[in-house]
Each structure stands twice: as structure tokens, then as C-alpha cells.
Amino acid sequence: MKIVLQNLTKKFPGRSKKSPGEVIAVNDFTFEIPDGKLIGLLGPSGCGKSTALNLICGLQKPTSGKIFFGEDDVTDLPPEYRGVGLVFQNYALYPHLTVLKNITFPLENLRGADRLSKEEMEKKALEAAKLVQLEGLMDRRPSELSGGQQQRVAIARALVKTPRVLLLDEPLSNLDARLRLQTREEIRRIQRQTGVTTIFVTHDQEEAMSISDMIVVMKEGVVQQIGKPQEVYDEPVNLFVARFLGTPPINIFRGRVSGSRLCIGEESVLPLQNIPDQEVTVGIRPEGFLLQKDGPLTCRLTRVEVMGRDVSVVSTHPCSENVSIRSIINAETKVDPDAQNVCFALKPHKLYLFHPRTGERIPFTAG
Ligand code: ADP
Ligand code: MG
């Protein structure tokens, strides 16, 4: 089922006398989440991700704006009638109940015509447990499970009422690196298998990029960009988005457009067309550097790190805003680790220009 947000806004009053100003945790969200897709809601801590999720599930009321599930306006509908499954970072399982009882718990509260017999409940619980591959562990208690298994119980519990929408708030944060990777693939599989419209909240760009059909990048309550992960990576609308996506992060330089050339320091590094002279902030992805003997950008070599398939060249430049510049070079290219300087040519489609004050992207044609 598609979800439509219309001018959705949530303001909180200032918390203390020291900070009396209100916080706009969610600022005028207007976008549509297509049916059956997995959407990554991505942004740094405190940018309003959880608030957005709480508005969608009904735990919090918006200050203004509307929420639609399909064609239904659910803005004033209490959470229990919205048909959402919720999973949080801290699995929030009942420690004294078995896996089976934890999963059937949401079904116990059904009343009237929806009420299920014990057998029906157990059947539904087993179906949900099979989805998350826990069917062999139904009699255990949470303390007898690994973190990843506990989170899968939480997911099964969220799925047992066949929700119209599944909401996951940083569900992998409490897991160690390996389990995080594994559980993330599990979530993707379960989502594909059930086709349930899912919103996955995370501050981890790699997680969001790898799991989502579409990502929504947020900053301070404001949506910055929405798109397929690769599109947003390739065409960031501003410096914030460019910086937030990608590991290693994008390299930032102070630069200048002068006479149809991009200059970094004294060096003219790229010919440009259709762009007036101005100061610019230059962003270059780590994969945007080509090691070239007489390349136009000269950097001071710090060290060379060989990482299997790739070689990471670490260097510095007086116009760099990062402490060090990280470029990823194909392992077949030979780099002399004892050289003082490295010279790079730049790939125009991996280089972006931004307005130095606003951070807005400045379009250009390489020429
Ligand atoms: P995230 O999940 O992205 O880390 P949150 O949605 O939790 O961010 O918070 C967004 C902003 O709203 C933060 O500045 C936070 O301090 C503020 N906030 C969240 N909940 C409340 C609340 N109940 N009362 C006041 N301010 C809140
Ligand atoms: Mg949060």
C-alpha cells in the first residue's frame, strides 16, 4: 500500500529556558512512498527520522499536515487501527515469555470478530517465524538467543498481524558488524517475500544505500533529496548530500572558476563550459582521481594503502578541506610509495561544484 505525506510537520516546544526556540523535527514533508517498496529514511542523529516514523505509525500527532495510507486519510486514526508493524533498535521483547508467546502477543489483544483461537494464533506465529527462519527456536526465551535472533523475533512479532506497513527504526544498531550485514540481507529478503511497504530508518548511509529501493535524505527536519540510492550518489543536489553518502567520503576543495577553467590553488584542473567566473566548493569522489604522471592536480603523498582489489592513495593539498585526500586507484596502477608528490587527472562525472555559501550544486558542462 502506498503512503502519502502531505505537508507533514511536527514541532516540539523548546526544552529549557536556555533553548526556548521550538524544534521543527519534521518540516513540511510532502512525498509519496510507492506500494511494496523499501524506503530508507537517512540522516544524521537528531534530524527527525524517528519523529517521522512515529507520525506515520500514529504514536505522535502532527502539528500540521496529513498522512494517507492508500486513499485513506489516517492522520487522526489511533495507531492500533493503522495496521502498522513496528521494530525498534532495542528489540523490546518480553524477557519472561518464549519466542512463541512473544510473537503471538499482538494477536492476544484482538477483540470481537477479529479474536483468534489459540490454534489460529500459533499457526500465524509459526508462519511469521518461518519468514524470519526462527521456527526451530519457538520455546526459547529471549535471553537464550543471540542479538540477531532477538531482532528477528521482533520482526516476526511486527509481521504476525500482516501489517499494511512495516516501520523499522534503526533495527540493526545493536548488532555487531557481521550480524548487521546478515540481518540487513534478511530484512531485504523478508520485505521482498511479503511485499509489505517498508520504511527503514538509519543514520548509516551504507546500510540505507544497500537495502533501499529509494532513499530519502534528511537534514534538520528537512528532506534534501529523494531517489534511487545510485542516483542520489551520482547526482547529489547539494554539498550535504554529497558528503553524507559514500565511503570513503567525497573529497572537498576550495576552488575557483576562471576563464572556463576550474582552478584548485594555482593549478587549472579541468576545462569547463557554460559557467561564469566564481568561487566554488569542489567535491571529488575517491574514484574520481586518475593517477597520471603529468596530471594537473599535484598532491603531497602521505601513504599508499593496498586493500586487495583497490589501492587507496592518501595525500594532502593546501586547498583541501579534509585533513587528507583519499583516492581509490585500480590495483594494477603502480604507485611509488616513496614519491613526494602524486599527480592526478580528474574524471568530470565524479566531480561536483557547489556554491561556497549555500552548498547548492552548480551545474556545468565539462569541455
Ligand atoms: P532522529 O531519530 O533522526 O535521531 P528524532 O526524531 O529523535 O531524530 O529527533 C528530532 C529532533 O526533535 C531532535 O532535535 C530532538 O531533540 C527533538 N525531539 C524529539 N522528540 C522530542 C520530544 N518528545 N520533545 C521535544 N523535542 C523532541
Ligand atoms: Mg531516532
Side-chain angles (χ1 to χ4, degrees), residues 10-15 23-26 43-54 60 169-170 201-203 218 221:
K10 178 68 177 179
K11 297 179 183 172
F12 291 112
R15 277 213 175 125
V23 177
I24 309 180
V26 170
S45 179
C47 75
K49 304 180 296 295
S50 295
T51 306
L53 221 58
N54 289 340
Q60 289 181 333
D169 193 349
E170 312 240 9
V201 162
T202 177
H203 62 271
M218 297 174 58

Side-chain angles (χ1 to χ4, degrees), residues 151-304:
Q151 193 53 300
R152 281 191 276 153
V153 176
I155 295 168
R157 185 179 56 184
L159 290 171
V160 74
K161 278 165 88 176
T162 32
R164 302 195 285 174
V165 176
L166 182 63
L167 304 177
L168 306 156
D169 193 349
E170 312 240 9
L172 309 180
S173 300
N174 282 3
L175 306 179
D176 66 46
R178 240 175 106 146
L179 265 179
R180 206 151 55 217
L181 212 69
Q182 213 178 355
T183 312
R184 153 176 127 188
E185 280 160 20
E186 280 285 281
I187 290 175
R188 182 75 250 206
R189 178 186 60 76
I190 294 161
Q191 195 275 332
R192 287 237 165 91
Q193 214 167 324
T194 56
V196 61
T197 309
T198 299
I199 306 180
F200 183 100
V201 162
T202 177
H203 62 271
D204 181 331
Q205 57 91 22
E206 199 191 323
E207 207 166 278
M209 299 270 284
S210 65
I211 202 176
S212 313
D213 294 309
M214 194 170 105
I215 56 173
V216 177
V217 185
M218 297 174 58
K219 177 194 174 190
E220 293 167 13
V222 180
V223 171
Q224 306 289 302
Q225 192 166 1
I226 302 177
K228 289 188 180 149
Q230 193 67 41
E231 286 169 8
V232 179
Y233 180 83
D234 288 337
E235 298 295 341
V237 297
N238 60 32
L239 183 59
F240 173 82
V241 174
R243 282 190 129 131
F244 201 72
L245 299 187
T247 33
I250 195 163
N251 300 284
I252 307 294
F253 298 86
R254 287 178 301 279
R256 184 167 34 88
V257 176
S258 169
S260 295
R261 280 179 224 277
L262 174 64
C263 299
I264 294 178
E266 295 308 308
E267 291 169 316
S268 160
V269 296
L270 199 70
L272 304 175
Q273 286 174 17
N274 308 324
I275 177 166
D277 287 4
Q278 60 191 301
E279 302 286 315
V280 288
T281 299
V282 186
I284 309 171
R285 293 275 180 213
E287 66 275 23
F289 296 83
L290 279 168
L291 210 56
Q292 202 174 79
K293 217 168 154 209
D294 48 0
L297 182 70
T298 310
C299 300
R300 181 162 282 266
L301 183 63
T302 311
R303 63 180 183 280
V304 178

Side-chain angles (χ1 to χ4, degrees), residues 35-105:
D35 179 37
K37 297 287 185 205
L38 193 159
I39 301 310
L41 200 53
L42 174 66
S45 179
C47 75
K49 304 180 296 295
S50 295
T51 306
L53 221 58
N54 289 340
L55 294 174
I56 293 169
C57 73
L59 288 176
Q60 289 181 333
K61 281 211 163 306
T63 310
S64 58
K66 288 197 176 302
I67 304 165
F68 295 85
F69 283 5
E71 303 306 317
D72 304 337
D73 182 344
V74 300
T75 315
D76 296 316
L77 200 65
E80 58 272 27
Y81 299 116
R82 291 194 188 188
V84 290
L86 271 174
V87 178
F88 298 103
Q89 173 179 346
N90 55 353
Y91 333 114
L93 301 178
Y94 298 102
H96 59 290
L97 297 182
T98 61
V99 169
L100 174 67
K101 287 284 177 198
N102 265 287
I103 299 176
T104 54
F105 195 84

